[in-house]
Amino acid sequence: MLHDVITWLRCPICGAAAERGLTLGQGVLRCPVGHSFDVAKQGYASLLPGGAHTGTGDTAAMVAARVDFLGAGHYRPIADALADAVRAAEAGRIVDLGAGTGFYLARVLDAVPGAAGLALDISKFALRRAAKAHPRAGAVVCDAWQPLPLRDGVADVVLNVFAPRRGEEIRRVLRPGGELLVVSPNRGHLGELVGELGLLGVDERKDERLAKALTPHLAPAGASEHTFTVKLTHAEVATVVGMGPSAWHTDADALAARIAALPDPVEVTVSVTVSRFTR
């Protein structure tokens, strides 16, 4: 799919000064100035400048947990909500910023025939999956906190699901009238697990921080809350913890003991907000 999204991309080194196209060769992307970037055998390209730090990306273990959990369909209603929103926007070019394994992007592309997608993430382990998530999706390694390796105004819709975001960069890559769809957790999200397992909770000022980051650059265009329950086995509880930020902050032995004390299966609340912003 890199062939189909190559025109969306720009060189992350010299592209800040001018819009410079990239060409795809045998295992490499090149810009007219001569900067080159590797294309992995799994199909994703790395557009990280030299010296970039990738320590915040999902590990192989986190990606494996995410594949298992999302593949079981527990978060399918979230993907369906995104698909409905993108279908209403009549989008043809969809960028998933912080795409992970490409699960949500693939579901959106299934719902929008003819659209093409690009998965952006800093984790090469995640993008090995995302590059194969859908026949109409490409995958590129980049840092969401840095200038994105995309041309100005190239995206009809940007997806951002439980992922970092920079408002000014999202505005730059959206076309006029384009939309950003942000999925963020609510206070009750996984509430039955947070206290019992000592997981990271949702910041009380989440909505305030989201508005502060985005409204100087994009206009709020509505939001919808999606709350439902799922029944999780002990193994699935371990995977949902292992795929998220709490994986960095929990002791494996202590976590296993706490999970063993839960009912099996345990009913867990999933609660998120899908927020729309427009350029």
Side-chain angles (χ1 to χ4, degrees), residues 135-160:
R136 287 184 272 120
V140 167
V141 180
C142 72
D143 185 349
W145 294 119
Q146 301 300 321
L148 299 174
L150 297 177
R151 292 174 176 264
D152 294 352
V154 75
D156 296 317
V157 170
V158 172
L159 309 178
N160 185 252

Side-chain angles (χ1 to χ4, degrees), residues 107-224:
R107 297 303 183 274
V108 168
L109 290 173
D110 279 343
V112 188
L118 178 61
L120 301 178
D121 203 280
I122 199 170
S123 169
K124 65 180 182 181
F125 302 108
L127 288 187
R128 288 172 183 172
R129 306 278 188 167
K132 297 177 174 61
H134 197 279
R136 287 184 272 120
V140 167
V141 180
C142 72
D143 185 349
W145 294 119
Q146 301 300 321
L148 299 174
L150 297 177
R151 292 174 176 264
D152 294 352
V154 75
D156 296 317
V157 170
V158 172
L159 309 178
N160 185 252
V161 184
F162 305 133
R165 66 197 78 87
R166 282 183 66 195
E168 62 269 36
E169 271 299 283
I170 294 173
R171 173 182 171 81
R172 181 184 66 78
V173 304
L174 276 174
R175 64 163 173 78
E179 294 190 0
L180 166 67
L181 299 173
V182 179
V183 176
S184 54
N186 296 326
R187 289 293 305 280
H189 183 61
L190 305 182
E192 294 83 359
L193 303 180
V194 170
E196 294 294 331
L197 303 182
L199 307 183
L200 297 175
V202 177
D203 186 350
E204 293 181 359
R205 301 174 62 190
K206 172 187 68 70
D207 294 338
E208 178 185 336
R209 290 190 298 104
L210 182 65
K212 183 178 180 180
L214 295 178
T215 54
H217 313 286
L218 300 162
S224 57

Side-chain angles (χ1 to χ4, degrees), residues 197-250:
L197 303 182
L199 307 183
L200 297 175
V202 177
D203 186 350
E204 293 181 359
R205 301 174 62 190
K206 172 187 68 70
D207 294 338
E208 178 185 336
R209 290 190 298 104
L210 182 65
K212 183 178 180 180
L214 295 178
T215 54
H217 313 286
L218 300 162
S224 57
E225 184 175 313
H226 302 268
T227 299
F228 53 96
T229 59
V230 293
K231 287 187 176 180
L232 304 180
T233 65
H234 282 181
E236 289 169 332
V237 171
T239 58
V240 76
V241 175
M243 76 182 200
S246 290
W248 299 100
H249 304 280
T250 53

